Amino acid sequence: MTARGVFYVHSAPPALSPHIEWAAAGVLGVPVSLEWADQPAAPGTLRAELHWEGKPGTAAGITSALRNWKLARFECTEDPTPGCDGVRYSFTPSLGVFTGVIGANGDIMIPEDRLRSVMAGAALGKTTLEAELDRLLGTPWDNELEPFRRAGDGAPVRWLHAAV
């Protein structure tokens, strides 16, 4: 079975770009050469985008390979496949990794056990329901990444097929 997705590097220092390519290549099993462009939302950094095909779980693999690199902002998506939901991973240096299960219409799907947990925390006064729902929906990550996403409009698109 083949999965598809997109790996967006929203910003990274130029010195990190070959390391990002090597990390993605290690997950995909084929050489990766991204087309890097200046990131106007963060002068002095670069951005790139890669459409990929590979086995289910590839987005998680790419995210795991890069999640400890505190100088990059990125997102990696994976479309649904039979038996697997779609997923989006977002990473920012200040927030870490957000994982959202994506439904067929593009909405984030929140499992009921996570909803019950935030309801219980809010009932105990540990947090507010609104703040926890925002976190479950990835709102803090969206707020931080949105300027970088907009700066990437009109970017070139490349497809990469992983070795299967």
Side-chain angles (χ1 to χ4, degrees):
M1 179 176 352
T2 300
R4 289 181 167 200
V6 185
F7 173 43
Y8 303 95
V9 180
H10 292 300
S11 72
L16 203 54
S17 58
H19 301 283
I20 291 171
E21 291 175 352
W22 296 329
V27 173
L28 290 164
V30 295
V32 171
S33 178
L34 299 174
E35 188 171 323
W36 295 94
D38 290 337
Q39 173 51 277
T45 66
L46 301 174
R47 55 168 308 286
E49 181 176 318
L50 176 71
H51 292 249
W52 58 266
E53 283 188 10
K55 61 186 178 200
T58 296
I62 291 171
T63 301
S64 292
L66 299 175
R67 65 187 253 168
N68 292 321
W69 299 8
K70 302 298 182 188
L71 298 175
R73 286 177 183 84
F74 65 89
E75 291 182 279
C76 198
T77 66
E78 185 167 313
D79 295 339
T81 54
C84 296
D85 292 318
V87 67
R88 180 185 72 170
Y89 298 94
S90 302
F91 178 85
T92 72
S94 63
L95 298 170
V97 175
F98 167 77
T99 305
V101 176
I102 307 298
N105 64 349
D107 286 343
I108 293 175
M109 311 299 288
I110 303 171
E112 67 180 84
D113 62 330
R114 292 181 77 185
L115 288 172
R116 290 182 197 286
S117 175
V118 300
M119 288 172 24
L124 294 173
K126 294 181 179 180
T127 184
T128 67
L129 185 58
E130 292 82 6
E132 287 303 302
L133 288 175
D134 274 344
R135 189 181 59 75
L136 289 176
L137 292 169
T139 302
W141 287 265
D142 287 339
N143 290 342
E144 187 170 329
L145 291 172
E146 193 57 31
F148 297 92
R149 292 173 182 148
R150 275 187 268 121
D153 288 345
V157 175
R158 259 184 93 218
W159 273 94
L160 186 68
H161 301 272
V164 188

